[in-house]
Amino acid sequence: MSKIQIELKDGSLREFEQGVSLAEIAETLSRSLAKSVLAAKVNGQIADLRYKLNEDAKIEFFTFADPEGKEALRHSASHVMAQAVQRLYKDVKLAIGPAITNGFYYDFDSNYVFTPEDLQKIQSEMEKIIKENLPIERLEMSRDEAIKLFEEKGEIYKVELIRDLPTDVVISLYRQGEFIDLCAGPHVPATSRVKSVKLQSLAGAYWRGDEKRKMLQRVYGTAFEKKADLDAYLNMLEEAAKRDHRKLGRELDLFSIQEEGPGFPFFHPKGMVIRNELENFWRKVHVKYGYQEIKTPIILHQRLWQQSGHWDHYRENMYFTTIDDEGYAVKPMNCPGGILVYRTQHHSYRDLPLRTAELGLVHRHELSGALHGLMRVRSFTQDDAHIFMLPSQIKDEIQGVIELFNKVYSTFGLSYHAELSTRPEKAMGSDEVWEMATNALKEALEDYGMDYKVNEGDGAFYGPKIDFHLKDSIGRTWQCGTIQLDMMMPEKFDLTYVGEDGQKHRPVMIHRVAYGSLERFIGILIEHYAGAFPTWLAPVQVKILPITDRHVDYARQIQALMRDKDIRVEVDDRNEKIGYKIREAQMEKVPYSLVVGDKEAEAQTVAIRQRGQGEIGTQPIREFINHLTNEIVEKK
C-alpha cells in the first residue's frame, strides 16, 4: 500500500498506510489519547474517528475538554435518547436532535404526551443502550435511497429535511443497533462513549420554529464523560437557580418586567442605587484612562443607518418611526452617533488618539421567546466607547483598553478569558483590510502576553473583535467586554485627520464596551454575589435596629451622622422583637446591622452584626463610621 503524510496540530509530520482511520492514528500517537479522543478535524472539516484517510492531510484530535469533543458526545447522546424513546413508545416520529450549549435536545412527534415522570424511564433505557456498547456507524446514500428508507419508516420530518437539502450535498445517516437517523455528524465511535447522562426537562417546540407548523415535544438533557463532572454541573444548576437574578430581583425589590413593557426593564429605587454606583465607578475609571464622555440622540435619520450599513445588516432588529414624513430609526447601537460627534470638528494627528465614551440607551427588537430578565432585553444601556487613532497607535490603544478592563473586572472579583472573532460570511470590506485588522488584534494580544482562542467567522460585519468572557463565583462564563477594530466606518463616513505631511488621512476606529449592557451586567452581578452585594454597591449599606421604642432617637442620631458621610442607612423602628428585625436584615442581605439599646446609647457605641459572620463586637460610633467609609471608598 502507498504511504500518506499526516500533519498534526503541532506541525509534526507522520507517515501512515493509505486507508488508515483516525482512530488508528490516535492509537499510534498515544494510548491515553485513543481512550479520550471523541472526534477529529481533517483539513478543517470535522469528522468521525472511523473516517479513513487516503491522501495527505492535516488533522487535529478533540477530547471532551474541547468544544468539538463535547458537541460530538452530546450529539451522540441525543441519538441515544431518540433510540430509547422509540424503544419505549410506539409510533414516535423523529424531528431533530442537536447538541446545544451544555447539553442536547430532541424533538418528537407522538400521540403520547411525555410527563416529567417519563424522563427517568427514558434515561434508564438510555443507560441500557450505553452499556450495550453499540457501534455508531456512518452511512452515505443517494437522495432517492434516503427518501425511500425514511418513507418506509414513516419518518415524515426526515423526508422533508432531505427534500430541502441542496442537490449536491452528501446525504449521511448514522446507525446504532436497530436505530438509524439522518445526520451530518460527527458522532463518537460507540454508545458506551456517552458515559453519564441526565434528562432535565420538557418543552414544546414548533417544527422548524414555525408557529403555523405542528407543535412537537422537546426533551432536554445533558451528558458528560465522568459522573463527577455531571454531578458538579447539576449542583451548579441548583446553585444557579437559587441565584436567579429574576427571583432575587423581586425579593430584593431591585427591578421588574411589566406586561405593559415586555423586554423593557423597570428599575426600582434600590436597583437604581446599584445602577448609579456602577455608572459613577465607570465615569471615574474612564476619566483616569483619558476618555471624554458624550451623549448622542436615541432617534436619528434613516439615511444615517443606511450609510453605516446597519440598514442592510441589522434592519430586522431595529425599531422605526416617521417624523415630518421622513423615516427615522431608534438607535440599536451608539457608534454612528459617536462618529457624527467626531465629524463636528477638524482633527490633526496631534489630537489622536481621541477617546469618547457614552452610556447610550439603545433598542433592539428581540423575539419574545428570547427575552430573559435583564440578560436579554429590548432596551438597554451600552457603555460604549469609540477611539479614533492613527494606524501606528492600534496596539497601544488595544492594550490600554485591556488594562481598563482589568481594572473594572478585578473590582468585582471577576476573572476572564479572551476570544478573537474573525470575518463573518456577511461582512463589509476587502479580505486585505480584514486580514490587516485581524493581525493587529492578534499582535496586541500576543504582545500583551494574553492567551486567547479563535472563533472563526464570528466577528462583527464591519471588523474583527476580541470578546472577554467573565467567570462568576460558581464557574459560569458570561460574554461582556468587547474590543472591535473597525477600518470600515471611517471610510463610510469619510472621517479624516490632517497628518504630519499636511495631507488628509483616514483614522482607524475602535468600538469597545466594558460592562457590555449595564442591565445585563447588573443581572450578572446579582447572580455572582447571590444578591449579597459588596458594601460599596449594596442598596442599603447599614440597618440600625433599636431594641425598643426608647432607643429610636439614638438610632436616628447615628443615621444622621452616617448620612453626612454619604452612607446609605435605614432605621428599622417597627414595634417588633429584635430577633425578627435581625432576621429581616439578613433576608435583605444588608452588609451591616447595628443593634442599639440602653448600653450602646449610654456609651455612644453600636453592637455590630456583619452579613455572613453574625456578631463581631461593639465599637464607638465614629470608629465604625471611619471603618465603613474606608471599606466603601476602597471598594473592598
Side-chain angles (χ1 to χ4, degrees), residues 326-395:
E326 294 196 34
Y328 284 75
V330 181
K331 67 176 178 181
M333 297 176 188
N334 297 304
C335 35
I339 287 169
L340 294 185
V341 172
Y342 179 90
R343 280 202 331 200
T344 59
Q345 295 181 14
H346 295 292
H347 296 281
S348 156
Y349 71 95
R350 297 178 187 276
D351 302 328
L352 306 183
L354 177 64
R355 307 181 189 102
T356 59
E358 175 177 14
L359 290 164
L361 182 64
V362 300
H363 291 74
R364 298 180 186 177
H365 178 61
E366 300 282 0
L367 296 175
S368 57
L371 300 174
H372 179 76
L374 296 178
M375 304 301 192
R376 196 72 177 264
V377 291
R378 288 170 170 157
S379 170
F380 56 95
T381 301
Q382 275 194 315
D383 65 316
D384 263 323
H386 299 102
I387 305 173
F388 304 90
M389 61 199 162
L390 311 176
S392 61
Q393 295 169 332
I394 291 175
K395 185 167 73 173

Side-chain angles (χ1 to χ4, degrees), residues 491-505:
E491 184 77 33
K492 281 185 164 288
F493 285 91
D494 192 27
L495 303 187
T496 61
Y497 66 91
V498 177
E500 290 185 77
D501 58 2
Q503 301 300 310
K504 285 187 177 181
H505 298 272

